[in-house]
Amino acid sequence: MSGLYGNVDDYTSQLRKLEQYCQANPKDSSSHFVLAYHYLVTGSKDAAVNALKVVVQNQPKAVTARRMLDALAP
């Protein structure tokens, strides 16, 4: 994913800002879902699972998030 950016540091900076936003907004399921996606593409499976757990907890009917979580942490 960072290859889409001109500079890897730019991607990392934006990812850190998303993490900070998610910490400040623990019930914002959409941002946690995006964070889970970025964790997955960067190979951070455990972090992705934790982000998806937040999504499923706050949005129990989020079918895609539930399926992703079940696939990653059966």
Side-chain angles (χ1 to χ4, degrees), residues 1 11 15 18-19 22 28-56 64-69 72:
M1 190 65 143
Y11 174 77
L15 179 60
L18 178 58
E19 290 170 332
C22 287
D28 185 343
S29 298
S30 298
S31 63
H32 280 83
F33 187 82
V34 172
L35 184 61
Y37 169 79
H38 283 277
Y39 283 151
L40 283 174
V41 298
T42 60
S44 301
K45 179 184 169 186
D46 292 339
V49 166
N50 289 335
L52 287 168
K53 285 179 180 178
V54 171
V55 176
V56 171
T64 301
R66 168 53 66 192
R67 288 182 181 165
M68 289 172 67
L69 182 57
L72 293 168

mmCIF file of all heavy atoms in Angstrom, residues 1 11 15 18-19 22 28-56 64-69 72:
data_model
loop_
_atom_site.group_PDB
_atom_site.id
_atom_site.type_symbol
_atom_site.label_atom_id
_atom_site.label_comp_id
_atom_site.label_asym_id
_atom_site.label_seq_id
_atom_site.Cartn_x
_atom_site.Cartn_y
_atom_site.Cartn_z
ATOM 1 N N MET A 1 0.826 -1.191 0.000
ATOM 2 C CA MET A 1 0.000 0.000 0.000
ATOM 3 C C MET A 1 0.871 1.255 0.000
ATOM 4 O O MET A 1 0.561 2.217 -0.676
ATOM 5 C CB MET A 1 -0.911 -0.021 1.227
ATOM 6 C CG MET A 1 -1.954 1.012 1.210
ATOM 7 S SD MET A 1 -3.070 0.717 -0.140
ATOM 8 C CE MET A 1 -4.570 1.156 0.553
ATOM 9 N N TYR A 11 2.826 7.658 3.907
ATOM 10 C CA TYR A 11 1.826 6.626 4.224
ATOM 11 C C TYR A 11 1.825 6.338 5.724
ATOM 12 O O TYR A 11 0.767 6.298 6.352
ATOM 13 C CB TYR A 11 2.102 5.335 3.442
ATOM 14 C CG TYR A 11 1.181 4.216 3.849
ATOM 15 C CD1 TYR A 11 -0.133 4.174 3.411
ATOM 16 C CD2 TYR A 11 1.611 3.208 4.716
ATOM 17 C CE1 TYR A 11 -1.000 3.171 3.803
ATOM 18 C CE2 TYR A 11 0.758 2.201 5.112
ATOM 19 C CZ TYR A 11 -0.541 2.180 4.652
ATOM 20 O OH TYR A 11 -1.389 1.186 5.065
ATOM 21 N N LEU A 15 -1.243 6.719 8.343
ATOM 22 C CA LEU A 15 -1.708 5.563 9.122
ATOM 23 C C LEU A 15 -1.706 5.884 10.610
ATOM 24 O O LEU A 15 -2.653 5.555 11.327
ATOM 25 C CB LEU A 15 -0.843 4.335 8.826
ATOM 26 C CG LEU A 15 -1.198 3.063 9.580
ATOM 27 C CD1 LEU A 15 -2.630 2.624 9.265
ATOM 28 C CD2 LEU A 15 -0.213 1.949 9.242
ATOM 29 N N LEU A 18 -4.660 7.985 11.428
ATOM 30 C CA LEU A 18 -5.874 7.161 11.491
ATOM 31 C C LEU A 18 -5.931 6.409 12.810
ATOM 32 O O LEU A 18 -6.995 6.319 13.436
ATOM 33 C CB LEU A 18 -5.926 6.188 10.307
ATOM 34 C CG LEU A 18 -7.108 5.235 10.257
ATOM 35 C CD1 LEU A 18 -8.442 5.984 10.251
ATOM 36 C CD2 LEU A 18 -6.992 4.320 9.039
ATOM 37 N N GLU A 19 -4.807 5.878 13.258
ATOM 38 C CA GLU A 19 -4.769 5.194 14.560
ATOM 39 C C GLU A 19 -5.165 6.150 15.681
ATOM 40 O O GLU A 19 -5.941 5.776 16.574
ATOM 41 C CB GLU A 19 -3.368 4.632 14.813
ATOM 42 C CG GLU A 19 -3.004 3.474 13.935
ATOM 43 C CD GLU A 19 -1.550 3.087 14.026
ATOM 44 O OE1 GLU A 19 -0.684 3.947 14.329
ATOM 45 O OE2 GLU A 19 -1.249 1.907 13.777
ATOM 46 N N CYS A 22 -8.866 6.757 15.611
ATOM 47 C CA CYS A 22 -9.601 5.606 16.135
ATOM 48 C C CYS A 22 -9.532 5.547 17.657
ATOM 49 O O CYS A 22 -10.519 5.200 18.311
ATOM 50 C CB CYS A 22 -9.069 4.309 15.518
ATOM 51 S SG CYS A 22 -9.551 4.095 13.788
ATOM 52 N N ASP A 28 -16.446 4.781 16.404
ATOM 53 C CA ASP A 28 -16.541 5.075 14.974
ATOM 54 C C ASP A 28 -16.147 3.817 14.191
ATOM 55 O O ASP A 28 -14.984 3.589 13.885
ATOM 56 C CB ASP A 28 -15.645 6.252 14.605
ATOM 57 C CG ASP A 28 -15.810 6.673 13.162
ATOM 58 O OD1 ASP A 28 -16.352 5.898 12.348
ATOM 59 O OD2 ASP A 28 -15.389 7.796 12.836
ATOM 60 N N SER A 29 -17.146 3.028 13.882
ATOM 61 C CA SER A 29 -16.912 1.739 13.223
ATOM 62 C C SER A 29 -16.275 1.886 11.850
ATOM 63 O O SER A 29 -15.438 1.076 11.459
ATOM 64 C CB SER A 29 -18.219 0.960 13.104
ATOM 65 O OG SER A 29 -18.731 0.696 14.386
ATOM 66 N N SER A 30 -16.655 2.899 11.131
ATOM 67 C CA SER A 30 -16.118 3.093 9.782
ATOM 68 C C SER A 30 -14.608 3.289 9.805
ATOM 69 O O SER A 30 -13.880 2.694 9.006
ATOM 70 C CB SER A 30 -16.777 4.296 9.104
ATOM 71 O OG SER A 30 -18.152 4.093 8.963
ATOM 72 N N SER A 31 -14.143 4.113 10.710
ATOM 73 C CA SER A 31 -12.696 4.355 10.769
ATOM 74 C C SER A 31 -11.947 3.106 11.220
ATOM 75 O O SER A 31 -10.857 2.818 10.735
ATOM 76 C CB SER A 31 -12.377 5.549 11.675
ATOM 77 O OG SER A 31 -12.762 5.289 13.004
ATOM 78 N N HIS A 32 -12.537 2.346 12.111
ATOM 79 C CA HIS A 32 -11.895 1.108 12.549
ATOM 80 C C HIS A 32 -11.859 0.076 11.421
ATOM 81 O O HIS A 32 -10.903 -0.691 11.309
ATOM 82 C CB HIS A 32 -12.609 0.537 13.782
ATOM 83 C CG HIS A 32 -12.210 1.230 15.043
ATOM 84 N ND1 HIS A 32 -12.789 2.405 15.449
ATOM 85 C CD2 HIS A 32 -11.287 0.935 15.967
ATOM 86 C CE1 HIS A 32 -12.236 2.789 16.589
ATOM 87 N NE2 HIS A 32 -11.323 1.914 16.917
ATOM 88 N N PHE A 33 -12.875 0.070 10.584
ATOM 89 C CA PHE A 33 -12.883 -0.845 9.454
ATOM 90 C C PHE A 33 -11.772 -0.483 8.472
ATOM 91 O O PHE A 33 -11.039 -1.354 7.989
ATOM 92 C CB PHE A 33 -14.240 -0.832 8.747
ATOM 93 C CG PHE A 33 -14.358 -1.871 7.680
ATOM 94 C CD1 PHE A 33 -14.672 -3.187 7.998
ATOM 95 C CD2 PHE A 33 -14.134 -1.552 6.344
ATOM 96 C CE1 PHE A 33 -14.769 -4.155 7.012
ATOM 97 C CE2 PHE A 33 -14.232 -2.510 5.358
ATOM 98 C CZ PHE A 33 -14.547 -3.819 5.692
ATOM 99 N N VAL A 34 -11.617 0.801 8.198
ATOM 100 C CA VAL A 34 -10.540 1.256 7.310
ATOM 101 C C VAL A 34 -9.183 0.920 7.931
ATOM 102 O O VAL A 34 -8.264 0.466 7.240
ATOM 103 C CB VAL A 34 -10.664 2.767 7.018
ATOM 104 C CG1 VAL A 34 -9.442 3.292 6.269
ATOM 105 C CG2 VAL A 34 -11.933 3.053 6.240
ATOM 106 N N LEU A 35 -9.062 1.107 9.222
ATOM 107 C CA LEU A 35 -7.819 0.779 9.911
ATOM 108 C C LEU A 35 -7.522 -0.712 9.806
ATOM 109 O O LEU A 35 -6.384 -1.106 9.534
ATOM 110 C CB LEU A 35 -7.902 1.214 11.379
ATOM 111 C CG LEU A 35 -6.642 1.019 12.211
ATOM 112 C CD1 LEU A 35 -5.476 1.825 11.633
ATOM 113 C CD2 LEU A 35 -6.904 1.419 13.660
ATOM 114 N N ALA A 36 -8.534 -1.542 9.976
ATOM 115 C CA ALA A 36 -8.352 -2.995 9.841
ATOM 116 C C ALA A 36 -7.851 -3.341 8.443
ATOM 117 O O ALA A 36 -6.947 -4.171 8.286
ATOM 118 C CB ALA A 36 -9.660 -3.726 10.128
ATOM 119 N N TYR A 37 -8.429 -2.719 7.438
ATOM 120 C CA TYR A 37 -7.985 -2.952 6.060
ATOM 121 C C TYR A 37 -6.502 -2.609 5.905
ATOM 122 O O TYR A 37 -5.726 -3.394 5.350
ATOM 123 C CB TYR A 37 -8.823 -2.120 5.085
ATOM 124 C CG TYR A 37 -8.250 -2.120 3.703
ATOM 125 C CD1 TYR A 37 -8.444 -3.201 2.849
ATOM 126 C CD2 TYR A 37 -7.473 -1.053 3.252
ATOM 127 C CE1 TYR A 37 -7.895 -3.215 1.578
ATOM 128 C CE2 TYR A 37 -6.924 -1.065 1.989
ATOM 129 C CZ TYR A 37 -7.128 -2.140 1.157
ATOM 130 O OH TYR A 37 -6.571 -2.158 -0.095
ATOM 131 N N HIS A 38 -6.099 -1.462 6.394
ATOM 132 C CA HIS A 38 -4.695 -1.067 6.267
ATOM 133 C C HIS A 38 -3.776 -1.998 7.046
ATOM 134 O O HIS A 38 -2.682 -2.328 6.575
ATOM 135 C CB HIS A 38 -4.499 0.390 6.681
ATOM 136 C CG HIS A 38 -4.952 1.346 5.629
ATOM 137 N ND1 HIS A 38 -4.161 1.699 4.560
ATOM 138 C CD2 HIS A 38 -6.135 1.981 5.454
ATOM 139 C CE1 HIS A 38 -4.823 2.527 3.776
ATOM 140 N NE2 HIS A 38 -6.027 2.704 4.301
ATOM 141 N N TYR A 39 -4.219 -2.437 8.193
ATOM 142 C CA TYR A 39 -3.414 -3.401 8.938
ATOM 143 C C TYR A 39 -3.262 -4.705 8.158
ATOM 144 O O TYR A 39 -2.186 -5.300 8.131
ATOM 145 C CB TYR A 39 -4.041 -3.697 10.304
ATOM 146 C CG TYR A 39 -3.822 -2.618 11.340
ATOM 147 C CD1 TYR A 39 -4.749 -2.425 12.350
ATOM 148 C CD2 TYR A 39 -2.690 -1.815 11.348
ATOM 149 C CE1 TYR A 39 -4.564 -1.463 13.333
ATOM 150 C CE2 TYR A 39 -2.492 -0.846 12.317
ATOM 151 C CZ TYR A 39 -3.431 -0.679 13.309
ATOM 152 O OH TYR A 39 -3.234 0.275 14.278
ATOM 153 N N LEU A 40 -4.328 -5.127 7.505
ATOM 154 C CA LEU A 40 -4.262 -6.360 6.719
ATOM 155 C C LEU A 40 -3.273 -6.237 5.573
ATOM 156 O O LEU A 40 -2.477 -7.143 5.337
ATOM 157 C CB LEU A 40 -5.636 -6.745 6.192
ATOM 158 C CG LEU A 40 -6.578 -7.373 7.194
ATOM 159 C CD1 LEU A 40 -7.958 -7.563 6.573
ATOM 160 C CD2 LEU A 40 -6.032 -8.706 7.677
ATOM 161 N N VAL A 41 -3.328 -5.139 4.847
ATOM 162 C CA VAL A 41 -2.433 -5.001 3.701
ATOM 163 C C VAL A 41 -0.984 -4.775 4.110
ATOM 164 O O VAL A 41 -0.086 -4.975 3.303
ATOM 165 C CB VAL A 41 -2.898 -3.913 2.702
ATOM 166 C CG1 VAL A 41 -4.251 -4.243 2.121
ATOM 167 C CG2 VAL A 41 -2.875 -2.538 3.322
ATOM 168 N N THR A 42 -0.763 -4.395 5.358
ATOM 169 C CA THR A 42 0.614 -4.237 5.829
ATOM 170 C C THR A 42 1.095 -5.462 6.606
ATOM 171 O O THR A 42 2.205 -5.471 7.124
ATOM 172 C CB THR A 42 0.770 -2.980 6.708
ATOM 173 O OG1 THR A 42 -0.087 -3.077 7.849
ATOM 174 C CG2 THR A 42 0.467 -1.720 5.934
ATOM 175 N N GLY A 43 0.239 -6.493 6.690
ATOM 176 C CA GLY A 43 0.641 -7.736 7.337
ATOM 177 C C GLY A 43 0.505 -7.752 8.844
ATOM 178 O O GLY A 43 1.078 -8.609 9.517
ATOM 179 N N SER A 44 -0.261 -6.836 9.393
ATOM 180 C CA SER A 44 -0.454 -6.761 10.847
ATOM 181 C C SER A 44 -1.780 -7.431 11.214
ATOM 182 O O SER A 44 -2.764 -6.766 11.567
ATOM 183 C CB SER A 44 -0.429 -5.305 11.314
ATOM 184 O OG SER A 44 0.787 -4.692 10.987
ATOM 185 N N LYS A 45 -1.786 -8.741 11.146
ATOM 186 C CA LYS A 45 -3.025 -9.510 11.333
ATOM 187 C C LYS A 45 -3.645 -9.293 12.710
ATOM 188 O O LYS A 45 -4.851 -9.075 12.819
ATOM 189 C CB LYS A 45 -2.750 -10.998 11.109
ATOM 190 C CG LYS A 45 -3.962 -11.870 11.315
ATOM 191 C CD LYS A 45 -3.622 -13.334 11.169
ATOM 192 C CE LYS A 45 -4.769 -14.208 11.634
ATOM 193 N NZ LYS A 45 -4.431 -15.617 11.646
ATOM 194 N N ASP A 46 -2.846 -9.359 13.769
ATOM 195 C CA ASP A 46 -3.400 -9.214 15.121
ATOM 196 C C ASP A 46 -4.047 -7.847 15.317
ATOM 197 O O ASP A 46 -5.120 -7.731 15.916
ATOM 198 C CB ASP A 46 -2.316 -9.443 16.175
ATOM 199 C CG ASP A 46 -1.844 -10.884 16.224
ATOM 200 O OD1 ASP A 46 -2.583 -11.781 15.756
ATOM 201 O OD2 ASP A 46 -0.724 -11.112 16.730
ATOM 202 N N ALA A 47 -3.400 -6.817 14.798
ATOM 203 C CA ALA A 47 -3.963 -5.466 14.904
ATOM 204 C C ALA A 47 -5.256 -5.363 14.097
ATOM 205 O O ALA A 47 -6.211 -4.709 14.530
ATOM 206 C CB ALA A 47 -2.942 -4.436 14.434
ATOM 207 N N ALA A 48 -5.296 -6.021 12.938
ATOM 208 C CA ALA A 48 -6.515 -6.025 12.121
ATOM 209 C C ALA A 48 -7.655 -6.709 12.863
ATOM 210 O O ALA A 48 -8.790 -6.227 12.849
ATOM 211 C CB ALA A 48 -6.255 -6.719 10.788
ATOM 212 N N VAL A 49 -7.353 -7.813 13.499
ATOM 213 C CA VAL A 49 -8.373 -8.530 14.277
ATOM 214 C C VAL A 49 -8.931 -7.630 15.366
ATOM 215 O O VAL A 49 -10.148 -7.548 15.558
ATOM 216 C CB VAL A 49 -7.790 -9.842 14.874
ATOM 217 C CG1 VAL A 49 -8.708 -10.417 15.942
ATOM 218 C CG2 VAL A 49 -7.536 -10.861 13.771
ATOM 219 N N ASN A 50 -8.060 -6.926 16.067
ATOM 220 C CA ASN A 50 -8.521 -6.038 17.138
ATOM 221 C C ASN A 50 -9.408 -4.914 16.593
ATOM 222 O O ASN A 50 -10.427 -4.576 17.199
ATOM 223 C CB ASN A 50 -7.333 -5.452 17.893
ATOM 224 C CG ASN A 50 -6.634 -6.494 18.738
ATOM 225 O OD1 ASN A 50 -7.225 -7.485 19.146
ATOM 226 N ND2 ASN A 50 -5.354 -6.289 18.980
ATOM 227 N N ALA A 51 -9.046 -4.359 15.462
ATOM 228 C CA ALA A 51 -9.860 -3.299 14.859
ATOM 229 C C ALA A 51 -11.215 -3.849 14.412
ATOM 230 O O ALA A 51 -12.247 -3.203 14.594
ATOM 231 C CB ALA A 51 -9.118 -2.658 13.690
ATOM 232 N N LEU A 52 -11.209 -5.039 13.846
ATOM 233 C CA LEU A 52 -12.476 -5.646 13.411
ATOM 234 C C LEU A 52 -13.376 -5.985 14.597
ATOM 235 O O LEU A 52 -14.599 -5.890 14.495
ATOM 236 C CB LEU A 52 -12.207 -6.895 12.574
ATOM 237 C CG LEU A 52 -11.671 -6.623 11.174
ATOM 238 C CD1 LEU A 52 -11.174 -7.912 10.542
ATOM 239 C CD2 LEU A 52 -12.720 -5.958 10.304
ATOM 240 N N LYS A 53 -12.783 -6.347 15.710
ATOM 241 C CA LYS A 53 -13.579 -6.615 16.912
ATOM 242 C C LYS A 53 -14.330 -5.365 17.348
ATOM 243 O O LYS A 53 -15.481 -5.448 17.785
ATOM 244 C CB LYS A 53 -12.683 -7.117 18.050
ATOM 245 C CG LYS A 53 -12.242 -8.556 17.874
ATOM 246 C CD LYS A 53 -11.345 -8.996 19.021
ATOM 247 C CE LYS A 53 -10.912 -10.447 18.842
ATOM 248 N NZ LYS A 53 -10.001 -10.880 19.919
ATOM 249 N N VAL A 54 -13.701 -4.215 17.221
ATOM 250 C CA VAL A 54 -14.364 -2.958 17.561
ATOM 251 C C VAL A 54 -15.551 -2.735 16.627
ATOM 252 O O VAL A 54 -16.636 -2.353 17.064
ATOM 253 C CB VAL A 54 -13.371 -1.775 17.482
ATOM 254 C CG1 VAL A 54 -14.102 -0.445 17.628
ATOM 255 C CG2 VAL A 54 -12.291 -1.911 18.535
ATOM 256 N N VAL A 55 -15.341 -2.992 15.340
ATOM 257 C CA VAL A 55 -16.421 -2.800 14.367
ATOM 258 C C VAL A 55 -17.601 -3.697 14.704
ATOM 259 O O VAL A 55 -18.748 -3.243 14.782
ATOM 260 C CB VAL A 55 -15.937 -3.091 12.928
ATOM 261 C CG1 VAL A 55 -17.095 -2.989 11.940
ATOM 262 C CG2 VAL A 55 -14.808 -2.147 12.532
ATOM 263 N N VAL A 56 -17.328 -4.971 14.931
ATOM 264 C CA VAL A 56 -18.402 -5.943 15.192
ATOM 265 C C VAL A 56 -19.107 -5.638 16.509
ATOM 266 O O VAL A 56 -20.321 -5.785 16.619
ATOM 267 C CB VAL A 56 -17.838 -7.383 15.160
ATOM 268 C CG1 VAL A 56 -18.855 -8.384 15.644
ATOM 269 C CG2 VAL A 56 -17.369 -7.720 13.742
ATOM 270 N N THR A 64 -19.814 -7.936 6.562
ATOM 271 C CA THR A 64 -18.472 -8.038 5.987
ATOM 272 C C THR A 64 -17.412 -8.066 7.080
ATOM 273 O O THR A 64 -16.487 -8.889 7.045
ATOM 274 C CB THR A 64 -18.206 -6.874 5.012
ATOM 275 O OG1 THR A 64 -19.197 -6.912 3.981
ATOM 276 C CG2 THR A 64 -16.827 -6.974 4.393
ATOM 277 N N ALA A 65 -17.539 -7.192 8.062
ATOM 278 C CA ALA A 65 -16.583 -7.160 9.167
ATOM 279 C C ALA A 65 -16.621 -8.479 9.940
ATOM 280 O O ALA A 65 -15.575 -9.023 10.315
ATOM 281 C CB ALA A 65 -16.870 -5.990 10.095
ATOM 282 N N ARG A 66 -17.796 -9.015 10.172
ATOM 283 C CA ARG A 66 -17.951 -10.292 10.886
ATOM 284 C C ARG A 66 -17.273 -11.414 10.105
ATOM 285 O O ARG A 66 -16.557 -12.233 10.668
ATOM 286 C CB ARG A 66 -19.427 -10.592 11.117
ATOM 287 C CG ARG A 66 -19.751 -12.005 11.580
ATOM 288 C CD ARG A 66 -19.012 -12.484 12.799
ATOM 289 N NE ARG A 66 -19.391 -11.741 13.988
ATOM 290 C CZ ARG A 66 -18.716 -11.821 15.136
ATOM 291 N NH1 ARG A 66 -17.659 -12.586 15.254
ATOM 292 N NH2 ARG A 66 -19.102 -11.122 16.166
ATOM 293 N N ARG A 67 -17.484 -11.466 8.814
ATOM 294 C CA ARG A 67 -16.870 -12.508 7.989
ATOM 295 C C ARG A 67 -15.361 -12.386 7.966
ATOM 296 O O ARG A 67 -14.648 -13.394 8.026
ATOM 297 C CB ARG A 67 -17.437 -12.470 6.571
ATOM 298 C CG ARG A 67 -18.860 -12.972 6.504
ATOM 299 C CD ARG A 67 -19.381 -12.961 5.106
ATOM 300 N NE ARG A 67 -20.766 -13.438 5.075
ATOM 301 C CZ ARG A 67 -21.576 -13.276 4.056
ATOM 302 N NH1 ARG A 67 -21.177 -12.675 2.969
ATOM 303 N NH2 ARG A 67 -22.802 -13.739 4.127
ATOM 304 N N MET A 68 -14.882 -11.171 7.868
ATOM 305 C CA MET A 68 -13.428 -10.966 7.889
ATOM 306 C C MET A 68 -12.855 -11.412 9.231
ATOM 307 O O MET A 68 -11.828 -12.093 9.283
ATOM 308 C CB MET A 68 -13.096 -9.497 7.635
ATOM 309 C CG MET A 68 -13.353 -9.056 6.211
ATOM 310 S SD MET A 68 -13.174 -7.260 5.984
ATOM 311 C CE MET A 68 -11.416 -7.054 6.256
ATOM 312 N N LEU A 69 -13.520 -11.029 10.303
ATOM 313 C CA LEU A 69 -13.062 -11.411 11.641
ATOM 314 C C LEU A 69 -13.078 -12.919 11.817
ATOM 315 O O LEU A 69 -12.104 -13.510 12.317
ATOM 316 C CB LEU A 69 -13.931 -10.736 12.709
ATOM 317 C CG LEU A 69 -13.547 -10.997 14.164
ATOM 318 C CD1 LEU A 69 -12.126 -10.583 14.447
ATOM 319 C CD2 LEU A 69 -14.534 -10.265 15.082
ATOM 320 N N LEU A 72 -10.155 -14.446 10.006
ATOM 321 C CA LEU A 72 -8.842 -14.162 10.589
ATOM 322 C C LEU A 72 -8.658 -14.786 11.961
ATOM 323 O O LEU A 72 -7.540 -15.142 12.337
ATOM 324 C CB LEU A 72 -8.634 -12.653 10.695
ATOM 325 C CG LEU A 72 -8.519 -11.904 9.385
ATOM 326 C CD1 LEU A 72 -8.602 -10.404 9.625
ATOM 327 C CD2 LEU A 72 -7.211 -12.260 8.695
#
